[in-house]
Amino acid sequence: MNYVNITGETGEKRIILVRIGEIALKGLNRSTFEKNLYRNLRDKLKDFGDPDIHWSQSRFYIVPKKLPFDYEQAMEAASSVFGVVSSSPAIACRSDFEEIRRTAVKAAGEKIAALKAEGKTSGIKFKVETRRGVKSFPMKSPEISAELGGTLLDEFPELAVDVNEPDFILYCEVREESFVYTDIVKAKGGMPIGSNGKACLLLSGGIDSPVAGYMISKRGVKICAVHFFSYPYTSERAREKVLELAKIISKYCGEIKVMVVPYTEVQLAIHQNCRDELGTVIMRRSMMRIAETLARRNGCAALVTGESIGQVASQTMQAMYCTDAAANMPVFRPLIAMDKVDVIALAREIGTFETSTLPYEDCCTVFTPKHPKTRPSLEEVIAEEARYDYERLENEAVEGTETFTCG
Ligand code: ATP
Ligand code: MG
C-alpha cells in the first residue's frame, strides 16, 4: 500500500502505532495476512468513531478522525486483535529534525509526568533509541539519538542517561513521517482470524473448551461452536452460561455462531444401551459425528475440543483414538499438552474463568460412569455401539439444533 500522509497540514498528530507479526509474512501470504488484519482492526475499532487505519511496512497506524478519542480503550481493543504483536500511543510529526525535537520534548515530558505520578520524582533514567527507515534523512540514527538525548537533558534537569537500566526509552522512528513514543504494550500475537480457515469448536460450559477456542482462533482460524444440551438434566442456565462464554471469547475470536444440539435422547439411549464403562467414549463418538455434520454444513474443515492428555478417563490416548475414529475430519486439541494450572491461568487472562466455574453442570457430568474404561479398544467400542441404532436419534438431534449468534 502506498504511504498516506498522516500528519497532514497539522504538523503533528496523536496516533496508535500497531506492530504486526512478521514471521509468516512471505509473498502472497503477506498480503492476505495484512488484508485480514486490516479488516479485523477496522471492525474492532468502529465503535471508536471509525478511525482511519493506514498500513505500510509491517505497521498499522490508527488515526482518529475526530477528537476526543479514547486512546487507551482503543489501544486495548487493537491489542485483542490476533496478529497484532504490540502497540504504542505515538505522536506523528513531519520528518524534519526540529519538529522531531519538539515532539520528543513533548512525549518525554508526558512520560516524566506519568512516572512522577507513580511516585518516581527524582533521578529518572532514560535513553533514546532511533530507527531511521528512510536513507534520505540527513542525519544517521546515532546522531539523532545523541541530539535528542542532549535536548532532553537540557530540558528536564531531573533526567539522567542510563542505557542499561532506563526508567523509560524514548523511541524515535524516522520514516516518510516520524513517530515518537515511550511505551510499547504487548498484544496477543498470533495470526489474523480468517487467514487460516474455519473450524467447529465443541463448547461445553467448562474451563477448557473456551480456552481451546481462543487458542485455535489465535492461529487465524475462524470458529463456530456446537454445544450438546441435555435438558432437563442440564438447566437453561447451563445453556445461558455457554452462550455467555461464547460472547466472552468473541472479543478475540469475532462473532461466534453457537449451535445448541438437543442431546437428551441420544444421551439417554447411550446410557440405557451401553455397558457403563464404555458409555463415555461412545457418547464422545456420537458427539463427534453430530459435530462433524454441523461443521460441514458451516464450511468448517476441522473439529476442536478442550481435551488434554491424561486429564480424565476419556482423555487417554486410547480413548481419544476411539473418539477420533468416529470423525472424518481432523480433531484439533490445542490444550493437549497443557497442565490444568496453565489452562486456568489462560482462562483468567481471557476472562472466561469466572463464568466457567459457575455451578451449572454440563451434560457430561450427569451421566458420568463410575468406572470408565481408560484403555478401550476400538473393536470393543464399535461392537458395543453396534448394538443400538444411534443414527436416527443423532439425525433428529442435528435437525433440532437451535442457532444463536454471540458477540
Ligand atoms: P471442558 O472444561 O471444556 O468442559 P473437560 O475437562 O470437562 O473439558 P470433558 O467433559 O471430558 O472434559 O470434555 C472434553 C471436551 O469435549 C470439552 O473440552 C469439549 O470440547 C467437549 N465437550 C464436552 N461436553 C460438551 C458439551 N456438552 N457440548 C459441547 N462440547 C462438549
Ligand atoms: Mg466439561
Side-chain angles (χ1 to χ4, degrees):
M1 182 186 250
N2 289 334
Y3 182 74
V4 181
N5 186 293
I6 291 172
T7 53
E9 294 308 305
T10 59
E12 176 196 300
K13 206 161 226 168
R14 281 173 196 271
I15 63 154
I16 298 170
L17 191 158
V18 171
R19 296 173 198 80
I20 69 177
E22 290 177 59
I23 303 154
L25 302 186
K26 295 217 174 70
L28 278 175
N29 285 344
R30 183 191 181 111
S31 93
T32 316
F33 184 104
E34 290 188 342
K35 275 183 199 140
N36 276 314
L37 189 47
Y38 172 79
R39 202 177 309 123
N40 298 347
L41 271 174
R42 195 192 52 200
D43 289 351
K44 195 77 191 181
L45 291 166
K46 63 178 184 297
D47 295 340
F48 294 86
D50 206 9
D52 289 323
I53 301 176
H54 304 301
W55 99 77
S56 144
Q57 297 172 12
S58 300
R59 288 272 201 281
F60 281 80
Y61 302 96
I62 299 169
V63 185
K65 276 206 188 89
K66 52 181 183 294
L67 297 174
F69 182 78
D70 190 340
Y71 286 87
E72 210 171 304
Q73 291 291 322
M75 218 170 86
E76 204 197 309
S79 298
S80 69
V81 173
F82 292 136
V84 173
V85 168
S86 66
S87 58
S88 296
I91 309 179
C93 68
R94 276 195 278 271
S95 288
D96 164 273
F97 188 70
E98 288 314 312
E99 287 212 22
I100 293 172
R101 195 200 299 274
R102 272 198 295 279
T103 308
V105 170
K106 187 179 276 182
E110 288 170 6
K111 183 66 186 176
I112 293 164
L115 287 170
K116 284 183 177 168
E118 287 167 18
K120 180 107 189 118
T121 47
S122 62
I124 299 175
K125 296 172 287 183
F126 83 108
K127 72 170 173 177
V128 179
E129 275 185 16
T130 304
R131 274 172 67 176
R132 186 179 63 142
V134 281
K135 297 295 165 224
S136 56
F137 193 77
M139 295 161 76
K140 292 200 169 127
S141 302
E143 200 186 338
I144 299 171
S145 293
E147 269 293 321
L148 292 180
T151 300
L152 297 186
L153 286 172
D154 290 345
E155 201 73 32
F156 304 102
E158 62 273 56
L159 285 186
V161 172
D162 185 335
V163 292
N164 297 316
E165 273 184 76
D167 294 307
F168 77 91
I169 300 175
L170 183 106
Y171 297 94
C172 174
E173 285 186 18
V174 181
R175 300 182 178 218
E176 284 86 348
E177 289 174 272
S178 295
F179 303 93
V180 180
Y181 52 91
T182 56
D183 291 295
I184 299 178
V185 182
K186 201 167 173 289
K188 299 286 179 207
M191 299 185 80
I193 288 171
S195 53
N196 279 322
K198 193 170 172 192
C200 180
L201 171 69
L202 279 76
L203 182 62
S204 72
I207 297 170
D208 300 329
S209 43
V211 174
Y214 168 87
M215 285 177 71
I216 199 85
S217 292
K218 190 173 166 195
R219 294 305 301 162
V221 177
K222 174 82 187 153
I223 55 168
C224 61
V226 171
H227 175 67
F228 296 94
F229 184 50
S230 289
Y231 189 80
Y233 297 95
T234 53
S235 67
E236 281 298 335
R237 294 170 86 179
R239 174 170 61 187
E240 294 311 313
K241 173 179 165 180
V242 167
L243 297 178
E244 178 60 25
L245 285 169
K247 185 163 174 238
I248 297 170
I249 60 170
S250 75
K251 175 178 166 199
Y252 310 98
C253 309
E255 199 176 81
I256 301 175
K257 176 174 171 182
V258 181
M259 291 164 276
V260 177
V261 179
Y263 197 55
T264 320
E265 295 304 321
V266 182
Q267 206 165 12
L268 282 172
I270 293 171
H271 192 59
Q272 284 154 9
N273 294 288
C274 282
R275 262 175 23 231
D276 203 39
E277 58 174 14
L278 293 178
T280 304
V281 69
I282 287 175
M283 182 188 75
R284 301 199 56 73
R285 284 168 56 83
S286 132
M287 285 183 169
M288 289 295 158
R289 285 189 293 265
I290 293 174
E292 181 180 340
T293 304
L294 293 170
R296 289 197 190 281
R297 286 186 187 175
N298 284 277
C300 298
L303 302 175
V304 180
T305 78
E307 289 159 303
S308 155
I309 197 151
Q311 201 185 80
V312 292
S314 63
Q315 298 177 20
T316 62
M317 273 194 223
Q318 291 81 358
M320 286 191 275
Y321 171 66
C322 293
T323 308
D324 284 6
N328 289 306
M329 53 170 55
V331 181
F332 294 135
R333 299 179 169 91
L335 313 186
I336 195 71
M338 281 175 79
D339 291 348
K340 192 76 182 188
V341 283
D342 297 325
V343 177
I344 289 174
L346 191 46
R348 286 190 194 280
E349 183 189 318
I350 65 176
T352 52
F353 184 76
E354 290 201 345
T355 305
S356 286
T357 46
L358 290 172
Y360 324 116
E361 302 204 312
D362 71 24
C363 67
C364 296
T365 46
V366 179
F367 296 98
T368 306
K370 283 196 189 61
H371 302 291
K373 203 160 190 174
T374 51
R375 295 183 186 190
S377 82
L378 184 56
E379 291 71 31
E380 68 175 332
V381 168
I382 287 175
E384 187 69 15
E385 203 176 69
R387 294 177 49 231
Y388 186 85
D389 176 20
Y390 296 104
E391 200 183 323
R392 185 181 56 83
L393 292 178
E394 286 171 3
N395 289 341
E396 278 173 23
V398 166
E399 297 321 322
T401 295
E402 272 186 282
T403 299
F404 301 82
T405 304
C406 300

